[in-house]
Amino acid sequence: MTFGFAPASAAASTSAASANRLLEPAEWAAAGIPLLRDPREVVSGLHARHHPQPATAVVAVLDPDERLRASASFVRRQAPADGWMFRNVLLAQLRRIIPHDLRRRTPVRTAVLLYCRDGDARWTEEDGAWMWGLRDACTLHGLRCGAYITLTRDGWQVLGEGRGGRRPHSASAPEPFATSGAAPPLPRTGGAASEVLRRAAAAR
C-alpha cells in the first residue's frame, strides 16, 4: 500500500465518499443484525468492566451463548466522524484482543459496540459512521456484526431495535460485575449437611 498526499480534486472526492461511509437506522435495521437476548445484561456488564465516559467506545466479542469472550475500550479522537477511520480503529482493537475467525465458513462469534457520548439518544451521523465501521470491521475479522448501543445521559439504547433503558447512563457510577461472563460459583459449604460432617470430623 502506498501513502502520499492526494491532489485537491482527489481530496474533494474523498471527502464526498466519506460522507457515504455511514448507515442510516433503516439500513441498519434491514441488515439482519442479530438481536441480543438480554441487552440490559450486556450493557451492564460492559459498563461495569470499562466505566465508559463520553467519547469512549467499548467493543466486545460474544460467543454463541452471548457470554463475553473479550472486550476493549478506547477514547475517540477529536476528528470528523468517518466510518472508514472507525473501521480501522475497531479492527485494530479486535486484532489485539481476539484471533480472527476468517477460516470459518460462517461466523460464530459476534462483535457488539457500546459508544458513550454526549447529547440525547437520537441517531446522529456519528452513530451512522460507527455502524458502518463496526459492520466492515466484523467482515474483515470473520465475526458477525452485532448490536450498536449508545450510552447517553438518557440511558442506553440499542439503535435500530427500539430497546433501551434508563440505567446505566453516561453519568452512572460503576456497578458490580454482571455474572454472565463470570466463572461458576464455588460449591456452598454451609447448611445442615456440612455442619454434620464438621462435627463428625471434630469427634475423631
Side-chain angles (χ1 to χ4, degrees), residues 6 8-9 23 34 45 59 66 75 83 87 99 104 108 124 127 138 146 151 155 160 173 187:
S9 59
L23 294 174
V59 61
E66 220 167 84
V75 177
R87 184 276 307 272
R104 294 182 177 274
V108 174
T124 67
D127 294 325
C138 288
L151 191 68

Side-chain angles (χ1 to χ4, degrees), residues 8 21 26 61 82 141 157 166 171 188 191 199:
R21 288 196 286 256
V61 179
D82 185 342
H141 205 63
Q157 179 178 216
R166 293 184 178 181
R188 296 180 60 182
R199 288 179 180 177

Side-chain angles (χ1 to χ4, degrees), residues 10-23:
S13 62
T14 300
S15 177
S18 66
N20 296 323
R21 288 196 286 256
L22 58 83
L23 294 174

Side-chain angles (χ1 to χ4, degrees), residues 23 35-36 45 75 109 113 116 150 168 179 184 201:
L23 294 174
L35 302 180
L36 289 170
V75 177
R109 296 179 293 190
L113 180 62
C116 181
T150 57
T179 57

Side-chain angles (χ1 to χ4, degrees), residues 193-204:
S194 62
E195 180 64 17
V196 170
L197 291 174
R198 188 186 65 78
R199 288 179 180 177
R204 290 178 183 174

